[in-house]
PDB file of all heavy atoms in Angstrom:
ATOM      1  N   LYS Y1225     104.913 -88.828 -96.729  1.00 95.00           N
ATOM      2  CA  LYS Y1225     104.475 -88.880 -98.125  1.00 95.00           C
ATOM      3  C   LYS Y1225     105.033 -90.109 -98.832  1.00 95.00           C
ATOM      4  O   LYS Y1225     106.095 -90.610 -98.491  1.00 95.00           O
ATOM      5  CB  LYS Y1225     104.897 -87.610 -98.861  1.00 95.00           C
ATOM      6  CG  LYS Y1225     104.195 -86.382 -98.313  1.00 95.00           C
ATOM      7  CD  LYS Y1225     104.519 -85.149 -99.102  1.00 95.00           C
ATOM      8  CE  LYS Y1225     103.755 -83.986 -98.470  1.00 95.00           C
ATOM      9  NZ  LYS Y1225     104.013 -82.744 -99.144  1.00 95.00           N
ATOM     10  N   THR Y1226     104.293 -90.545 -99.846  1.00 96.00           N
ATOM     11  CA  THR Y1226     104.689 -91.689-100.665  1.00 96.00           C
ATOM     12  C   THR Y1226     104.932 -91.205-102.087  1.00 96.00           C
ATOM     13  O   THR Y1226     104.160 -90.401-102.614  1.00 96.00           O
ATOM     14  CB  THR Y1226     103.583 -92.760-100.646  1.00 96.00           C
ATOM     15  OG1 THR Y1226     103.387 -93.179 -99.290  1.00 96.00           O
ATOM     16  CG2 THR Y1226     103.965 -93.965-101.487  1.00 96.00           C
ATOM     17  N   TYR Y1227     106.013 -91.706-102.684  1.00 96.00           N
ATOM     18  CA  TYR Y1227     106.416 -91.285-104.018  1.00 96.00           C
ATOM     19  C   TYR Y1227     106.559 -92.493-104.938  1.00 96.00           C
ATOM     20  O   TYR Y1227     106.899 -93.587-104.485  1.00 96.00           O
ATOM     21  CB  TYR Y1227     107.766 -90.558-103.962  1.00 96.00           C
ATOM     22  CG  TYR Y1227     107.755 -89.367-103.038  1.00 96.00           C
ATOM     23  CD1 TYR Y1227     108.131 -89.492-101.705  1.00 96.00           C
ATOM     24  CD2 TYR Y1227     107.355 -88.116-103.494  1.00 96.00           C
ATOM     25  CE1 TYR Y1227     108.116 -88.401-100.843  1.00 96.00           C
ATOM     26  CE2 TYR Y1227     107.339 -87.017-102.648  1.00 96.00           C
ATOM     27  CZ  TYR Y1227     107.720 -87.168-101.327  1.00 96.00           C
ATOM     28  OH  TYR Y1227     107.693 -86.085-100.489  1.00 96.00           O
ATOM     29  N   THR Y1228     106.351 -92.284-106.226  1.00 96.00           N
ATOM     30  CA  THR Y1228     106.692 -93.288-107.220  1.00 96.00           C
ATOM     31  C   THR Y1228     108.213 -93.383-107.232  1.00 96.00           C
ATOM     32  O   THR Y1228     108.894 -92.391-107.003  1.00 96.00           O
ATOM     33  CB  THR Y1228     106.156 -92.875-108.602  1.00 96.00           C
ATOM     34  OG1 THR Y1228     104.739 -92.701-108.506  1.00 96.00           O
ATOM     35  CG2 THR Y1228     106.475 -93.920-109.657  1.00 96.00           C
ATOM     36  N   ALA Y1229     108.725 -94.580-107.507  1.00 97.00           N
ATOM     37  CA  ALA Y1229     110.181 -94.732-107.450  1.00 97.00           C
ATOM     38  C   ALA Y1229     110.678 -95.785-108.436  1.00 97.00           C
ATOM     39  O   ALA Y1229     109.917 -96.631-108.903  1.00 97.00           O
ATOM     40  CB  ALA Y1229     110.606 -95.101-106.033  1.00 97.00           C
ATOM     41  N   LYS Y1230     111.964 -95.691-108.704  1.00 97.00           N
ATOM     42  CA  LYS Y1230     112.658 -96.714-109.482  1.00 97.00           C
ATOM     43  C   LYS Y1230     114.058 -96.853-108.913  1.00 97.00           C
ATOM     44  O   LYS Y1230     114.576 -95.936-108.263  1.00 97.00           O
ATOM     45  CB  LYS Y1230     112.689 -96.375-110.966  1.00 97.00           C
ATOM     46  CG  LYS Y1230     113.484 -95.152-111.331  1.00 97.00           C
ATOM     47  CD  LYS Y1230     113.421 -94.934-112.836  1.00 97.00           C
ATOM     48  CE  LYS Y1230     114.374 -93.861-113.284  1.00 97.00           C
ATOM     49  NZ  LYS Y1230     114.477 -93.807-114.741  1.00 97.00           N
ATOM     50  N   MET Y1231     114.658 -98.020-109.142  1.00 97.00           N
ATOM     51  CA  MET Y1231     115.989 -98.303-108.599  1.00 97.00           C
ATOM     52  C   MET Y1231     116.830 -99.010-109.648  1.00 97.00           C
ATOM     53  O   MET Y1231     116.316 -99.775-110.457  1.00 97.00           O
ATOM     54  CB  MET Y1231     115.886 -99.208-107.365  1.00 97.00           C
ATOM     55  CG  MET Y1231     115.060 -98.636-106.236  1.00 97.00           C
ATOM     56  SD  MET Y1231     114.996 -99.724-104.785  1.00 97.00           S
ATOM     57  CE  MET Y1231     113.877-101.003-105.343  1.00 97.00           C
ATOM     58  N   ASN Y1232     118.143 -98.745-109.592  1.00 97.00           N
ATOM     59  CA  ASN Y1232     119.082 -99.485-110.428  1.00 97.00           C
ATOM     60  C   ASN Y1232     120.463 -99.437-109.786  1.00 97.00           C
ATOM     61  O   ASN Y1232     120.748 -98.559-108.973  1.00 97.00           O
ATOM     62  CB  ASN Y1232     119.134 -98.914-111.854  1.00 97.00           C
ATOM     63  CG  ASN Y1232     119.690 -97.509-111.897  1.00 97.00           C
ATOM     64  OD1 ASN Y1232     118.992 -96.559-111.570  1.00 97.00           O
ATOM     65  ND2 ASN Y1232     120.946 -97.381-112.292  1.00 97.00           N
ATOM     66  N   PHE Y1233     121.286-100.403-110.141  1.00 97.00           N
ATOM     67  CA  PHE Y1233     122.652-100.443-109.630  1.00 97.00           C
ATOM     68  C   PHE Y1233     123.546 -99.581-110.509  1.00 97.00           C
ATOM     69  O   PHE Y1233     123.531 -99.697-111.724  1.00 97.00           O
ATOM     70  CB  PHE Y1233     123.200-101.864-109.618  1.00 97.00           C
ATOM     71  CG  PHE Y1233     122.723-102.678-108.448  1.00 97.00           C
ATOM     72  CD1 PHE Y1233     121.793-103.687-108.619  1.00 97.00           C
ATOM     73  CD2 PHE Y1233     123.198-102.429-107.170  1.00 97.00           C
ATOM     74  CE1 PHE Y1233     121.356-104.431-107.549  1.00 97.00           C
ATOM     75  CE2 PHE Y1233     122.763-103.168-106.085  1.00 97.00           C
ATOM     76  CZ  PHE Y1233     121.835-104.171-106.276  1.00 97.00           C
ATOM     77  N   GLU Y1234     124.337 -98.738-109.862  1.00 95.00           N
ATOM     78  CA  GLU Y1234     125.375 -97.998-110.588  1.00 95.00           C
ATOM     79  C   GLU Y1234     126.676 -98.773-110.562  1.00 95.00           C
ATOM     80  O   GLU Y1234     127.491 -98.644-111.460  1.00 95.00           O
ATOM     81  CB  GLU Y1234     125.535 -96.602-110.000  1.00 95.00           C
ATOM     82  CG  GLU Y1234     124.320 -95.746-110.273  1.00 95.00           C
ATOM     83  CD  GLU Y1234     124.635 -94.283-110.329  1.00 95.00           C
ATOM     84  OE1 GLU Y1234     125.656 -93.843-109.778  1.00 95.00           O
ATOM     85  OE2 GLU Y1234     123.822 -93.559-110.929  1.00 95.00           O
ATOM     86  N   THR Y1235     126.886 -99.539-109.504  1.00 94.00           N
ATOM     87  CA  THR Y1235     127.976-100.517-109.410  1.00 94.00           C
ATOM     88  C   THR Y1235     127.361-101.742-108.740  1.00 94.00           C
ATOM     89  O   THR Y1235     126.183-101.747-108.414  1.00 94.00           O
ATOM     90  CB  THR Y1235     129.165 -99.996-108.566  1.00 94.00           C
ATOM     91  OG1 THR Y1235     128.754 -99.895-107.206  1.00 94.00           O
ATOM     92  CG2 THR Y1235     129.672 -98.653-109.066  1.00 94.00           C
ATOM     93  N   LYS Y1236     128.180-102.758-108.484  1.00 94.00           N
ATOM     94  CA  LYS Y1236     127.648-103.968-107.846  1.00 94.00           C
ATOM     95  C   LYS Y1236     127.082-103.708-106.452  1.00 94.00           C
ATOM     96  O   LYS Y1236     126.222-104.441-105.982  1.00 94.00           O
ATOM     97  CB  LYS Y1236     128.724-105.047-107.757  1.00 94.00           C
ATOM     98  CG  LYS Y1236     128.910-105.814-109.015  1.00 94.00           C
ATOM     99  CD  LYS Y1236     129.815-106.998-108.769  1.00 94.00           C
ATOM    100  CE  LYS Y1236     129.575-108.002-109.871  1.00 94.00           C
ATOM    101  NZ  LYS Y1236     130.140-109.282-109.586  1.00 94.00           N
ATOM    102  N   THR Y1237     127.575-102.672-105.781  1.00 95.00           N
ATOM    103  CA  THR Y1237     127.123-102.398-104.415  1.00 95.00           C
ATOM    104  C   THR Y1237     126.472-101.025-104.236  1.00 95.00           C
ATOM    105  O   THR Y1237     126.017-100.704-103.147  1.00 95.00           O
ATOM    106  CB  THR Y1237     128.296-102.511-103.420  1.00 95.00           C
ATOM    107  OG1 THR Y1237     129.309-101.569-103.797  1.00 95.00           O
ATOM    108  CG2 THR Y1237     128.868-103.909-103.389  1.00 95.00           C
ATOM    109  N   LYS Y1238     126.416-100.231-105.281  1.00 97.00           N
ATOM    110  CA  LYS Y1238     125.844 -98.882-105.171  1.00 97.00           C
ATOM    111  C   LYS Y1238     124.479 -98.844-105.866  1.00 97.00           C
ATOM    112  O   LYS Y1238     124.380 -98.856-107.097  1.00 97.00           O
ATOM    113  CB  LYS Y1238     126.782 -97.851-105.807  1.00 97.00           C
ATOM    114  CG  LYS Y1238     126.315 -96.419-105.635  1.00 97.00           C
ATOM    115  CD  LYS Y1238     127.350 -95.467-106.248  1.00 97.00           C
ATOM    116  CE  LYS Y1238     126.946 -94.027-106.105  1.00 97.00           C
ATOM    117  NZ  LYS Y1238     127.933 -93.138-106.731  1.00 97.00           N
ATOM    118  N   LEU Y1239     123.432 -98.796-105.034  1.00 97.00           N
ATOM    119  CA  LEU Y1239     122.066 -98.772-105.539  1.00 97.00           C
ATOM    120  C   LEU Y1239     121.571 -97.330-105.606  1.00 97.00           C
ATOM    121  O   LEU Y1239     121.684 -96.581-104.631  1.00 97.00           O
ATOM    122  CB  LEU Y1239     121.145 -99.586-104.617  1.00 97.00           C
ATOM    123  CG  LEU Y1239     119.693 -99.702-105.063  1.00 97.00           C
ATOM    124  CD1 LEU Y1239     119.588-100.571-106.318  1.00 97.00           C
ATOM    125  CD2 LEU Y1239     118.846-100.289-103.940  1.00 97.00           C
ATOM    126  N   LYS Y1240     121.021 -96.967-106.738  1.00 97.00           N
ATOM    127  CA  LYS Y1240     120.455 -95.629-106.931  1.00 97.00           C
ATOM    128  C   LYS Y1240     118.939 -95.740-106.793  1.00 97.00           C
ATOM    129  O   LYS Y1240     118.293 -96.498-107.517  1.00 97.00           O
ATOM    130  CB  LYS Y1240     120.826 -95.099-108.315  1.00 97.00           C
ATOM    131  CG  LYS Y1240     120.224 -93.755-108.647  1.00 97.00           C
ATOM    132  CD  LYS Y1240     120.632 -93.358-110.059  1.00 97.00           C
ATOM    133  CE  LYS Y1240     119.974 -92.076-110.501  1.00 97.00           C
ATOM    134  NZ  LYS Y1240     120.351 -91.756-111.895  1.00 97.00           N
ATOM    135  N   LEU Y1241     118.377 -94.983-105.868  1.00 96.00           N
ATOM    136  CA  LEU Y1241     116.931 -94.932-105.652  1.00 96.00           C
ATOM    137  C   LEU Y1241     116.455 -93.544-106.050  1.00 96.00           C
ATOM    138  O   LEU Y1241     116.941 -92.544-105.511  1.00 96.00           O
ATOM    139  CB  LEU Y1241     116.601 -95.200-104.186  1.00 96.00           C
ATOM    140  CG  LEU Y1241     115.168 -94.919-103.745  1.00 96.00           C
ATOM    141  CD1 LEU Y1241     114.200 -95.891-104.406  1.00 96.00           C
ATOM    142  CD2 LEU Y1241     115.056 -95.021-102.234  1.00 96.00           C
ATOM    143  N   ARG Y1242     115.524 -93.492-106.988  1.00 95.00           N
ATOM    144  CA  ARG Y1242     114.981 -92.211-107.455  1.00 95.00           C
ATOM    145  C   ARG Y1242     113.499 -92.166-107.110  1.00 95.00           C
ATOM    146  O   ARG Y1242     112.709 -92.951-107.622  1.00 95.00           O
ATOM    147  CB  ARG Y1242     115.184 -92.082-108.961  1.00 95.00           C
ATOM    148  CG  ARG Y1242     114.653 -90.793-109.567  1.00 95.00           C
ATOM    149  CD  ARG Y1242     115.661 -89.706-109.456  1.00 95.00           C
ATOM    150  NE  ARG Y1242     115.176 -88.478-110.087  1.00 95.00           N
ATOM    151  CZ  ARG Y1242     115.605 -87.290-109.763  1.00 95.00           C
ATOM    152  NH1 ARG Y1242     116.541 -87.146-108.844  1.00 95.00           N
ATOM    153  NH2 ARG Y1242     115.134 -86.222-110.348  1.00 95.00           N
ATOM    154  N   GLY Y1243     113.114 -91.271-106.197  1.00 94.00           N
ATOM    155  CA  GLY Y1243     111.723 -91.053-105.848  1.00 94.00           C
ATOM    156  C   GLY Y1243     111.230 -89.791-106.518  1.00 94.00           C
ATOM    157  O   GLY Y1243     111.958 -88.804-106.596  1.00 94.00           O
ATOM    158  N   TYR Y1244     109.995 -89.833-107.016  1.00 94.00           N
ATOM    159  CA  TYR Y1244     109.510 -88.677-107.770  1.00 94.00           C
ATOM    160  C   TYR Y1244     107.984 -88.581-107.759  1.00 94.00           C
ATOM    161  O   TYR Y1244     107.282 -89.519-107.390  1.00 94.00           O
ATOM    162  CB  TYR Y1244     110.020 -88.725-109.211  1.00 94.00           C
ATOM    163  CG  TYR Y1244     109.671 -89.993-109.965  1.00 94.00           C
ATOM    164  CD1 TYR Y1244     108.519 -90.061-110.740  1.00 94.00           C
ATOM    165  CD2 TYR Y1244     110.495 -91.106-109.906  1.00 94.00           C
ATOM    166  CE1 TYR Y1244     108.200 -91.215-111.434  1.00 94.00           C
ATOM    167  CE2 TYR Y1244     110.183 -92.262-110.598  1.00 94.00           C
ATOM    168  CZ  TYR Y1244     109.036 -92.319-111.361  1.00 94.00           C
ATOM    169  OH  TYR Y1244     108.722 -93.452-112.042  1.00 94.00           O
ATOM    170  N   VAL Y1245     107.521 -87.430-108.203  1.00 90.00           N
ATOM    171  CA  VAL Y1245     106.098 -87.181-108.391  1.00 90.00           C
ATOM    172  C   VAL Y1245     105.887 -86.942-109.879  1.00 90.00           C
ATOM    173  O   VAL Y1245     106.484 -86.025-110.449  1.00 90.00           O
ATOM    174  CB  VAL Y1245     105.633 -85.950-107.586  1.00 90.00           C
ATOM    175  CG1 VAL Y1245     104.167 -85.642-107.868  1.00 90.00           C
ATOM    176  CG2 VAL Y1245     105.864 -86.145-106.106  1.00 90.00           C
ATOM    177  N   GLY Y1246     105.096 -87.780-110.509  1.00 85.00           N
ATOM    178  CA  GLY Y1246     104.790 -87.595-111.933  1.00 85.00           C
ATOM    179  C   GLY Y1246     105.849 -88.127-112.880  1.00 85.00           C
ATOM    180  O   GLY Y1246     105.651 -89.117-113.551  1.00 85.00           O
TER     181      GLY Y1246
END
Side-chain angles (χ1 to χ4, degrees):
K1225 295 185 180 179
T1226 300
Y1227 303 92
T1228 302
K1230 65 180 189 170
M1231 301 181 285
N1232 65 283
F1233 280 107
E1234 291 207 338
T1235 68
K1236 279 190 159 193
T1237 59
K1238 185 177 180 182
L1239 183 69
K1240 177 182 175 182
L1241 169 67
R1242 180 85 178 156
Y1244 56 93
V1245 176

